[in-house]
Amino acid sequence: ADRRDGGVRVEVVDAEAADGARAGANGNGAAPAERSLLRRSDSSFTRLGRALFFGVEPSADTLAIALVYFVQGVVGLSNLAVSFFLKDEIGLSPAEVAFVTSCGTFPWLIKPLYGFVSDSFPLAGYRRRSYMAVCGVAGSLGWATLATLAHGKGAVIGGLVLSNVGVAMADVVVDSVVVERVREVDDPDLEGSLQSLSWGARAVGSIIAALYGGHLVEEYGPRFVFTVTAALPLLVTAVALVLEEERVDGASGEWLSPAGAARAAREQTLSLWRAVRRRDIWSPTAFLFLWQATPQASQAMFFFQTEELGFTPEFLGRVQLATAIASLCGVVLYNNLLQRTPLRKIFLYSALVGTALSLTQLVLVNGLNTQLGVPNEVFAVADSIALAVVGQVAFMPVLVLAARVCPEGVEATLFALLMSICNAGYVSSGLLGGVITDSLGVSKDDFGNLSTLILICGMSSLLPLPLLSMVPSESAKGEEAKRA
């Protein structure tokens, strides 16, 4: 069978039709015409499946990959709940909210540790399945902690850290599965398609979360939302049961002995060191960190929108819904039109457009949109949609590039390291934004310097552009063709 284009060769159909004729002659099975019709129906379902899975052949593995990323998106059900919980129930300022949420994302900064453990020390004989099962339980316990025990900053940080450990480690494990599957199949388009499937599934989860998140916060409160969210990571535990993986030989003894642990650590460290010394790995990664690390004013804008403009959780949920749909559109846009666009060109134009769009928040803060007859709600939704599309388009080639440069044997560890560096830049962005917010005196009662904060954060996004030479000039597919 030739399924690369979603079709089936005629010889296969004829052979199975012949089998059906023989079975029919014996009184069993369907007639040849019926079997041929069933095969055509199967072919149609195959093409439909490939279309729904961004061109990837549907299988247990691809379903597992899609579902793990779907959970990453759908746990966003609690995003608004966390913000309102910290602002209203814990009583924190914008700068304090930025600090607490940044601390809560710490598990995303040590993803290489999860990758090293997953690659080197099989759990119950498996490197992927067992860890995914544990991740689901950890994430569920974290959200349960926020729902029942969190009454101060320390407990909130603890619950956020535990929930993010579950999601971050599951992300590392499933990323390693993606890298392994890319190497197993000789298909240059699979790399980008698998990344599109992953982030497309995450966007779908985000859409569902945004559809209900704001309404649930407004009607039932943040703690109820945390309780509902606690059930979602258990889907990762369930999907571990269908993930196809062979048991590791000798996992019951050698890998857990002191000698085996030391040997694994040494081999992994040397392989990782050889990889990170390559300029084509560390150079673009350094640029991405600097680009991600520019300060942001998101927490200050959240306080302004809720305290000054009166945006309700229900409306902010609709904004998140529009943003999630826009992110999915960004995935589709990149997958169909931009895979052959040079990376530097994507980063340059997305940075310029993103900076310009971020500065449009000055229009909202100063009420210029209402003077032009544009309601605050309409302006906020339109601005969020545009930023989401640009941001997702800029992020997709990063994932493809990171997956391609990972050498065999340290897939999870190196890919996790690259993503952790990007996450460290994002956390630094939140912390820097919080410091600037506090230094300018912006609080839930004083937004006098909010325009200055937005201007500083927006213009700082242009600072890394002179370093664009650190990014490969080729497109994601162009570089692979060059290596081939």
Side-chain angles (χ1 to χ4, degrees):
D2 183 3
R3 300 181 181 274
R4 292 177 65 87
D5 59 353
V8 180
R9 287 181 180 173
V10 176
E11 293 88 344
V12 176
V13 177
D14 291 342
E16 296 197 2
D19 290 340
R22 288 190 291 270
N26 294 324
N28 299 316
E34 293 174 347
R35 292 295 300 273
S36 180
L37 180 61
L38 288 174
R39 171 51 59 186
R40 294 190 186 98
S41 177
D42 289 343
S43 177
S44 298
F45 280 116
T46 299
R47 287 194 295 269
L48 176 61
R50 288 176 65 89
L52 293 177
F53 280 73
F54 290 87
V56 181
E57 188 77 24
S59 66
D61 279 0
T62 54
L63 176 61
I65 292 169
L67 189 55
V68 170
Y69 272 91
F70 170 80
V71 170
Q72 287 188 27
V74 80
V75 294
L77 183 74
S78 61
N79 286 348
L80 280 177
V82 170
S83 297
F84 278 99
F85 182 70
L86 294 176
K87 181 176 77 74
D88 296 332
E89 294 197 28
I90 307 299
L92 303 184
S93 67
E96 289 175 320
V97 170
F99 173 77
V100 169
T101 54
S102 296
C103 290
T105 57
F106 173 76
W108 290 92
L109 307 186
I110 55 173
K111 288 176 66 178
L113 177 61
Y114 314 139
F116 174 77
V117 172
S118 174
D119 283 339
S120 303
F121 307 105
L123 180 63
Y126 295 99
R127 288 193 176 97
R128 314 303 181 204
R129 296 178 61 180
S130 301
Y131 285 104
M132 286 179 63
V134 172
C135 289
V137 175
S140 181
L141 289 176
W143 291 114
T145 299
L146 289 171
T148 58
L149 302 176
H151 300 287
K153 286 190 291 187
V156 171
I157 292 175
L160 290 175
V161 166
L162 185 57
S163 63
N164 277 302
V165 164
V167 179
M169 188 167 188
D171 180 74
V172 171
V173 174
V174 79
D175 281 340
S176 68
V177 174
V178 170
V179 174
E180 290 167 356
R181 297 305 179 264
V182 167
R183 287 208 172 91
E184 290 172 0
V185 181
D186 184 19
D187 186 350
D189 291 335
L190 180 63
E191 189 173 47
S193 296
L194 273 176
Q195 295 294 350
S196 296
L197 169 65
S198 302
W199 289 86
R202 182 174 181 172
V204 171
S206 299
I207 291 172
I208 295 175
L211 190 61
Y212 297 102
H215 174 74
L216 291 177
V217 171
E218 189 164 325
E219 293 294 326
Y220 303 103
R223 290 190 187 273
F224 174 82
V225 178
F226 297 152
T227 302
V228 174
T229 307
L232 300 175
L234 296 178
L235 291 173
V236 176
T237 301
V239 81
L241 301 177
V242 302
L243 185 67
E244 297 179 0
E245 181 184 6
E246 295 183 2
R247 288 182 61 89
V248 177
D249 294 334
S252 59
E254 178 184 357
W255 287 91
L256 298 181
S257 66
R263 181 166 56 256
R266 182 172 61 254
E267 292 175 355
Q268 288 281 322
T269 301
L270 290 176
S271 297
L272 187 61
W273 175 244
R274 285 194 295 268
V276 298
R277 291 176 62 186
R278 289 168 45 182
R279 181 180 177 85
D280 60 334
I281 294 178
W282 67 257
S283 181
T285 303
F287 171 82
L288 292 173
F289 171 82
L290 296 173
W291 190 32
Q292 293 280 82
T294 55
Q296 58 175 304
S298 57
Q299 294 300 336
M301 281 301 300
F302 170 75
F303 274 74
F304 177 78
Q305 290 172 345
T306 55
E307 299 293 328
E308 194 74 12
L309 300 182
F311 287 177
T312 64
E314 180 82 31
F315 172 73
L316 290 176
R318 295 173 186 171
V319 174
Q320 285 194 346
L321 174 61
T323 300
I325 295 174
S327 295
L328 182 58
C329 292
V331 173
V332 175
L333 176 63
Y334 172 80
N335 193 53
N336 291 285
L337 300 178
L338 299 175
Q339 288 199 50
R340 298 186 182 276
T341 303
L343 298 179
R344 292 180 187 175
K345 191 173 183 179
I346 292 179
F347 288 130
L348 173 62
Y349 285 105
S350 61
L352 293 175
V353 174
T355 298
L357 289 174
S358 68
L359 294 178
T360 59
Q361 292 179 330
L362 294 172
V363 176
L364 186 64
V365 170
N366 292 285
L368 299 179
N369 57 291
T370 56
Q371 297 178 22
L372 298 173
V374 180
N376 292 327
E377 292 80 2
V378 174
F379 188 90
V381 170
D383 191 52
S384 298
I385 289 175
L387 281 170
V389 173
V390 173
Q392 193 66 50
V393 167
F395 193 56
M396 292 303 299
V398 176
L399 299 173
V400 175
L401 178 62
R404 187 178 65 239
V405 301
C406 292
E408 187 173 358
V410 289
E411 299 97 338
T413 309
L414 182 57
F415 192 89
L417 175 62
L418 300 180
M419 292 297 99
S420 290
I421 292 173
C422 291
N423 292 333
Y426 181 77
V427 172
S428 300
S429 174
L431 291 174
L432 285 173
V435 170
I436 298 174
T437 298
D438 187 62
S439 64
L440 292 176
V442 177
S443 67
K444 62 181 179 180
D445 301 315
D446 185 2
F447 300 101
N449 289 325
L450 182 56
S451 294
T452 303
L453 174 64
I454 293 172
L455 185 62
I456 292 174
C457 293
M459 297 305 296
S460 66
S461 300
L462 300 176
L463 294 178
L465 291 184
L467 303 176
L468 265 177
S469 59
M470 301 172 71
V471 177
S473 59
E474 295 86 355
S475 65
K477 287 191 175 182
E479 175 67 14
E480 180 158 352
K482 180 180 177 181
R483 289 190 177 192

